[in-house]
Amino acid sequence: MEKIKISIEFCTLCHWTPRAVWMTQELLYTFQNDVAEVKLIPTDGGVFRISVDDEVVWDRKESGFPEPKAVKQKIRDVIDPKRSLGHSDK
Amino acid sequence: MEKIKISIEFCTLCHWTPRAVWMTQELLYTFQNDVAEVKLIPTDGGVFRISVDDEVVWDRKESGFPEPKAVKQKIRDVIDPKRSLGHSDK
């Protein structure tokens, strides 16, 4: 299967850089062998948005800030809906 | 000035993910307003390589692991050689 490209856009004016970097580490840990790249994109306007191959899987403006578990489930559903995420599914 | 694109390629077999994520956070902190994106690229083969706009500014195989200060100076020299990095220049 083609490896996925994840992007995380985040508002630097809101001081969400540490949060975006934390999410990056979580996603790299869980999807190390599935990921071609994780791209961090500083922006403004209260944006915190995560996409897989240009498809938005999480947008703070719709769903608030995610726990890593929720984002991992969304990404797993893109990659391989049958895969267990262990603790992240419980 | 055009914002720069930074990429960090790192060997996951070597368990360098935390190191790559740490460097990402350091570079986003220092160059927040200069950066269009920081891209993390998992790879293998003992690679730890940092590029700016596809030009390699640090390669572990040539120079060992960098302190963030050394990478910041290299990137500063690309962006604006006259800029002071404060403590990172001392």
Side-chain angles (χ1 to χ4, degrees):
Chain A
M1 185 187 149
E2 191 88 5
K3 292 194 173 187
I4 58 170
K5 295 183 178 184
I6 298 173
S7 66
I8 303 177
E9 299 160 272
F10 61 99
C11 177
T12 56
L13 298 176
C14 314
H15 305 294
W16 294 340
T17 304
R19 182 187 285 273
V21 171
W22 167 46
M23 187 64 73
T24 298
Q25 183 149 12
E26 288 278 350
L27 299 181
L28 282 170
Y29 180 77
T30 297
F31 299 110
Q32 180 171 286
N33 298 318
D34 306 293
V35 160
E37 63 180 49
V38 180
K39 193 190 292 186
L40 284 150
I41 303 171
T43 185
D44 53 20
V47 168
F48 191 87
R49 192 164 44 217
I50 301 172
S51 303
V52 174
D53 294 336
D54 297 325
E55 183 192 341
V56 175
V57 297
W58 198 277
D59 189 334
R60 186 196 65 86
K61 291 186 181 176
E62 292 173 8
S63 314
F65 282 118
E67 276 295 305
K69 169 181 173 172
V71 177
K72 290 176 183 180
Q73 288 173 337
K74 293 274 191 190
I75 293 176
R76 182 270 315 274
D77 292 347
V78 172
I79 296 174
D80 178 3
K82 290 183 181 153
R83 187 189 301 183
S84 169
L85 290 171
H87 290 305
S88 287
D89 269 342
K90 284 165 191 155
Chain B
M1 185 186 150
E2 192 88 6
K3 293 194 173 187
I4 58 170
K5 295 183 178 186
I6 298 174
S7 67
I8 303 177
E9 299 161 273
F10 61 99
C11 177
T12 55
L13 299 176
C14 314
H15 305 295
W16 293 342
T17 304
R19 182 187 284 274
V21 171
W22 168 47
M23 187 64 73
T24 298
Q25 183 149 12
E26 288 278 352
L27 299 181
L28 282 170
Y29 181 77
T30 297
F31 299 110
Q32 180 171 287
N33 297 318
D34 305 293
V35 161
E37 62 180 49
V38 180
K39 193 189 295 186
L40 283 150
I41 303 171
T43 184
D44 53 20
V47 168
F48 191 87
R49 192 163 45 218
I50 302 171
S51 303
V52 174
D53 295 335
D54 297 324
E55 183 193 340
V56 175
V57 297
W58 198 277
D59 189 333
R60 187 196 65 86
K61 291 185 181 176
E62 292 174 9
S63 313
F65 282 118
E67 277 294 305
K69 169 180 173 172
V71 178
K72 289 176 183 181
Q73 288 172 338
K74 292 274 190 191
I75 294 176
R76 182 269 316 275
D77 292 346
V78 171
I79 296 174
D80 179 4
K82 291 184 179 152
R83 186 189 302 184
S84 169
L85 290 172
H87 290 305
S88 288
D89 269 342
K90 283 165 192 154

